[in-house]
Amino acid sequence: GAVVSQHPSRVICKSGTSVKIECRSLDFQATTMFWYRQFPKKSLMLMATSNEGSKATYEQGVEKDKFLINHASLTLSTLTVTSAHPEDSSFYICSARVSDLASGGVYNEQFFGPGTRLTVL
Amino acid sequence: KQEVTQIPAALSVPEGENLVLNCSFTDSAIYNLQWFRQDPGKGLTSLLLIQSSQREQTSGRLNASLDKSSGRSTLYIAASQPGDSATYLCASRGRRSGTYKYIFGTGTRLKVLA
């Protein structure tokens, strides 16, 4: 099946620094990717929809200037947490929608990455 | 706006029991519904995907059903095992406005006792 990777899997940083998280579709093209956030023992909350070649669409309540999203290619989206603070500590998960018809039966389906655990000290 | 709720929030059962986890969604205009498993501190493992045109899907000891008219899906786990202990999440993907995003439920934390 289609594979989505995230890097890094775990990151610890100091308060005030910026952290970049990568989401890659390894064997398919993805014009649309999604970023989710999960607090401890809570469900996943959609943060934003990442669109290749255009601006991301943010969900209500998500700070655009805080969580910068760039989707510069058909296989890569990045989430940058700027000026991170301890309250930004969370588990971040991305998903990618299969957008190339050559993928056959999984076209238009979504696959999830393994997640990135961010800890801000 | 789609809202997805799961009942119960937590469940603890002895090994061998058959289980039913419930998922309710408010907007029946869905593209599909998916059940996931999440182990502590880990990512998501897709268990079953039900398209809007389907009534159920089966994989091993797992069976998921979908009733769009009532806005419900159930995940049935037969002969539960301690290895089934995890959090189970359902997520619906909306059809309105061409959106592809998944909305996740609140989750059910399952513990199967040996």
Side-chain angles (χ1 to χ4, degrees):
Chain A
V3 179
V4 177
S5 70
Q6 282 185 239
H7 178 79
S9 58
R10 185 181 298 267
V11 57
I12 301 173
C13 69
K14 293 181 179 180
S15 184
T17 61
S18 294
V19 175
K20 180 184 286 188
I21 303 171
E22 294 184 348
C23 177
R24 291 183 184 273
S25 56
L26 298 186
D27 49 3
F28 64 95
Q29 295 178 352
T31 55
T32 308
M33 295 185 178
F34 302 88
W35 286 97
Y36 295 84
R37 181 176 182 176
Q38 186 178 35
F39 291 101
K41 297 186 178 181
K42 299 293 184 182
S43 189
L44 277 72
M45 292 183 60
L46 179 66
M47 298 174 65
T49 302
S50 174
N51 304 299
E52 187 267 335
S54 64
K55 292 182 179 181
T57 304
Y58 291 82
E59 295 298 302
Q60 191 173 10
V62 178
E63 299 176 61
K64 301 178 183 181
D65 297 331
K66 176 74 172 176
F67 300 99
L68 301 179
I69 292 173
N70 184 275
H71 194 151
S73 78
L74 289 172
T75 59
L76 173 65
S77 174
T78 60
L79 169 68
T80 301
V81 183
T82 62
S83 187
H85 290 282
E87 57 266 29
D88 297 325
S89 298
S90 193
F91 193 52
Y92 293 86
I93 298 179
C94 72
S95 70
R97 181 178 71 89
V98 179
S99 60
D100 52 326
L101 293 171
S103 298
V106 296
Y107 171 73
N108 211 29
E109 295 303 332
Q110 285 185 41
F111 296 88
F112 287 79
T116 296
R117 183 161 303 283
L118 170 63
T119 302
V120 185
L121 303 177
Chain B
K1 183 181 177 182
Q2 177 74 287
E3 292 185 5
V4 183
T5 306
Q6 292 183 244
I7 295 173
L11 185 61
S12 183
V13 299
E15 182 178 7
E17 276 204 9
N18 299 324
L19 310 171
V20 175
L21 307 182
N22 298 292
C23 173
S24 300
F25 47 94
T26 55
D27 188 350
S28 61
I30 62 172
Y31 186 79
N32 61 34
L33 186 139
Q34 193 162 181
W35 283 91
F36 297 88
R37 168 184 174 142
Q38 186 176 32
D39 292 288
K42 303 294 184 182
L44 303 177
T45 299
S46 177
L47 298 174
L48 290 166
L49 171 66
I50 312 176
Q51 302 292 349
S52 63
S53 59
Q54 297 175 324
R55 285 283 187 98
E56 65 178 349
Q57 282 287 332
T58 299
S59 176
R61 294 183 292 109
L62 305 179
N63 175 276
S65 66
L66 175 65
D67 184 345
K68 288 193 302 177
S69 62
S70 65
R72 293 182 181 179
S73 176
T74 60
L75 178 66
Y76 178 81
I77 303 176
S80 58
Q81 302 170 359
D84 295 330
S85 298
T87 295
Y88 290 81
L89 296 165
C90 69
S92 70
R93 188 173 134 188
R95 186 184 288 278
R96 295 186 192 281
S97 303
T99 180
Y100 297 103
K101 57 188 179 184
Y102 274 101
I103 303 299
F104 280 79
T106 46
T108 294
R109 292 190 302 281
L110 172 65
K111 188 170 185 178
V112 182
L113 305 172

